[in-house]
């Protein structure tokens, strides 16, 4: 090193290091800022693509009078499978009386989350139907295009 061999003083070497650091740190921060900008742009594109996705769930023709709903939920012979996948829920029949709380338990991949997503209409049912208050849910329409419990 030049400072060790005496070609440059220790003080000059220290000043040189401080100046190099003062020059490089703003460039490092600029690179981090650019990285954050690129990530934000990628996230914005994903959000905009999601917002541009057409709604596939169609609403029905019957207005649901919320005041008349008692809360009874019934599933009859519900079967569901993801596209190109094995059946997750097969021939499920379930009756939940108004005002009652139930728990759905099972191992990972047994369909607990899928059942909730079906109730909230995140997935379309092709041949099966769901009954709430003795009416088929697909007949209802709402402001947002879906009926949720």
């Amino acid at each position: 090193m030049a400072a060790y061999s005496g070609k440059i003083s220790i003080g000059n070497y220290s000043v040189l290091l401080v100046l190099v650091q003062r020059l490089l740190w703003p460039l490092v921060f600029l690179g981090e800022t650019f990285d954050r900008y690129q990530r934000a742009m990628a996230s914005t594109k994903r959000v905009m693509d999601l917002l541009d996705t057409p709604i596939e769930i169609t609403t029905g023709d019957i207005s649901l009078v919320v005041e008349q709903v008692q809360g009874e939920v019934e599933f009859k012979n519900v079967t569901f499978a993801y596209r190109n996948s094995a059946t997750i829920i097969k021939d499920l029949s379930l009756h939940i009386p108004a005002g009652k709380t139930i728990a759905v338990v099972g191992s990972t991949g047994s369909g607990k989350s899928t059942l909730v997503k079906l109730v909230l209409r995140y997935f379309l049912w092709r041949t099966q139907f769901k009954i709430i208050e003795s009416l088929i849910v697909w007949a209802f329409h709402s402001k947002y295009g879906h009926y949720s419990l």
Side-chain angles (χ1 to χ4, degrees):
M1 298 190 74
Y4 183 73
S5 65
K7 294 180 183 176
I8 186 172
S9 71
I10 301 264
N12 286 341
Y13 180 71
S14 298
V15 168
L16 180 64
L17 283 178
V18 168
L19 289 175
V20 168
Q21 284 180 342
R22 290 191 69 154
L23 174 69
L24 289 180
W25 279 114
L27 294 175
V28 169
F29 288 134
L30 181 65
E32 289 175 358
T33 302
F34 183 70
D35 179 56
R36 281 189 227 125
Y37 172 77
Q38 290 295 325
R39 289 175 188 236
M41 291 305 295
S43 297
T44 302
K45 182 179 180 340
R46 287 193 300 268
V47 168
M48 296 308 284
D49 289 345
L50 179 64
L51 291 174
D52 290 338
T53 303
I55 297 173
E56 295 179 1
I57 297 176
T58 58
T59 60
D61 300 326
I62 302 171
S63 292
L64 177 64
V65 182
V66 179
E67 292 79 21
Q68 294 177 354
V69 174
Q70 299 297 313
E72 180 178 296
V73 178
E74 184 174 347
F75 297 86
K76 288 186 180 179
N77 304 322
V78 174
T79 299
F80 180 81
Y82 292 102
R83 291 182 192 157
N84 304 323
S85 180
T87 301
I88 303 293
I89 298 173
K90 184 176 182 182
D91 200 28
L92 173 69
S93 293
L94 175 68
H95 179 261
I96 306 169
K100 296 294 181 182
T101 302
I102 67 161
V104 180
V105 295
S107 62
T108 302
S110 62
K112 302 176 299 290
S113 297
T114 301
L115 182 62
V116 172
K117 289 175 183 176
L118 286 170
V119 169
L120 298 175
R121 291 184 68 186
Y122 287 136
F123 301 117
L124 292 176
W125 296 359
R126 301 293 178 216
T127 56
Q128 297 75 28
F129 57 90
K130 173 175 58 173
I131 306 234
I132 297 177
E133 299 297 328
S134 301
L135 295 171
I136 298 175
V137 166
W138 303 137
F140 299 140
H141 72 83
S142 72
K143 178 176 160 184
Y144 301 106
H146 66 278
Y147 173 76
S148 59
L149 299 173

